[in-house]
């Protein structure tokens, strides 16, 4: 059975775009073909926040424990190989089981499934 590396799987309310306010399950895959580090930085400079966190990466046992960053990619841990061990490989059955556990009433109603990343494709 094939597996996919999953950084995060959680239930929340969509906070942006056309479907703002819709109850949703967010499935964040691991991996990205970019390394955006310029957000929030002066022109021509790159953030080093993720580098600083990687120096103490062994302090963190869960993806959710990692600090937020204010510059660079705010999803850094979902693609940076230095944090890959915090994202398990899951089968589609395991993903479906986890979704059933986190949605209200343990059944799919009108929730959306938002597949994000990283770069999910
Ligand atoms: S997840 Fe988005 S912002 Fe982050 S490196 Fe990939 S493309 Fe850039």
């Amino acid at each position: 059975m094939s597996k996919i590396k999953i950084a995060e799987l959680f239930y929340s309310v969509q906070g942006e775009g056309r479907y703002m306010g819709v109850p949703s399950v967010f499935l964040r895959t691991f991996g990205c073909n970019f390394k955006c580090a310029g957000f929030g930085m002066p022109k021509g400079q790159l953030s080093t926040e993720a580098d600083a966190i990687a120096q103490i990466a062994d302090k963190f046992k869960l993806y959710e424990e990692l600090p937020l960053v204010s510059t660079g990619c705010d999803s850094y841990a979902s693609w940076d190989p230095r944090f890959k061990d915090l994202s398990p490989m899951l089968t589609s059955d395991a993903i479906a089981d986890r979704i059933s556990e986190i949605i209200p009433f343990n059944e799919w109603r009108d929730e959306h499934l938002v597949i994000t990343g990283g770069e999910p494709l």
Side-chain angles (χ1 to χ4, degrees):
M1 180 177 289
S2 61
K3 296 180 178 180
I4 185 167
K5 202 164 183 58
I6 300 298
E8 281 189 295
L9 182 57
F10 60 95
Y11 175 84
S12 188
V13 175
Q14 176 60 266
E16 57 190 21
R18 180 177 180 180
Y19 297 106
M20 184 182 295
V22 174
S24 302
V25 172
F26 292 83
L27 175 67
R28 187 183 304 284
T29 61
F30 185 89
C32 186
N33 48 337
F34 292 101
K35 294 181 178 178
C36 305
F39 297 124
M41 297 296 293
K43 187 173 183 179
Q45 294 184 32
L46 300 177
S47 172
T48 58
E49 282 191 68
D51 298 333
I53 296 166
Q55 298 291 321
I56 55 170
D58 57 349
K59 282 180 54 177
F60 306 105
K61 303 298 179 218
L62 297 171
Y63 181 97
E64 295 78 16
E65 295 174 349
L66 288 165
L68 300 175
V69 294
S70 57
T71 57
C73 172
D74 63 1
S75 301
Y76 68 94
S78 69
W79 54 263
D80 190 319
R82 295 174 294 186
F83 306 101
K84 71 179 186 330
D85 292 341
L86 299 177
S87 295
M89 295 288 289
L90 298 178
T91 64
S92 53
D93 284 349
I95 292 169
D97 288 346
R98 293 270 298 271
I99 290 173
S100 294
E101 291 167 11
I102 63 174
I103 56 175
F105 312 108
N106 299 104
E107 69 176 19
W108 208 262
R109 294 187 174 187
D110 293 328
E111 294 87 358
H112 285 185
L113 175 61
V114 181
I115 301 175
T116 186
E119 166 49 86
L121 297 182

